[in-house]
Amino acid sequence: MLPALKVIAPLAKMLFNTVDKAIPDKDLAEKLKAQLNTQLLQSGTEELKAAASIVEAEAKSNWFVAGWRPTLMYVLIFILVWNYILGQ
């Protein structure tokens, strides 16, 4: 889904542990961790929005650009059917 979030998750856990160790006030530590978590989630949604806008722009362009994914899928399915079902 989100390769960047898979990389950030262990770092966020280490950062949360550091916040717990460095800040003795529990309420302040929880507030800081909540703010950090919110920022991480917002960065993930921004990444998804950017990817969605790329796919949307691709779909709105001409038939060649918009249709390369389905065409590739059909070609691969044809190759699989030909090799493993009809070719036997």
Side-chain angles (χ1 to χ4, degrees), residues 34-56:
Q35 288 176 348
L36 287 170
N37 198 18
T38 302
Q39 289 176 353
L40 287 173
L41 289 174
Q42 285 176 349
S43 68
T45 58
E46 289 173 4
E47 181 182 338
L48 287 175
K49 286 179 185 178
S53 67
I54 291 170
V55 172
E56 181 182 0

Side-chain angles (χ1 to χ4, degrees), residues 49-70:
K49 286 179 185 178
S53 67
I54 291 170
V55 172
E56 181 182 0
E58 186 178 272
K60 288 182 179 180
S61 61
N62 63 12
W63 68 270
F64 184 74
V65 174
W68 76 270
R69 292 174 200 252

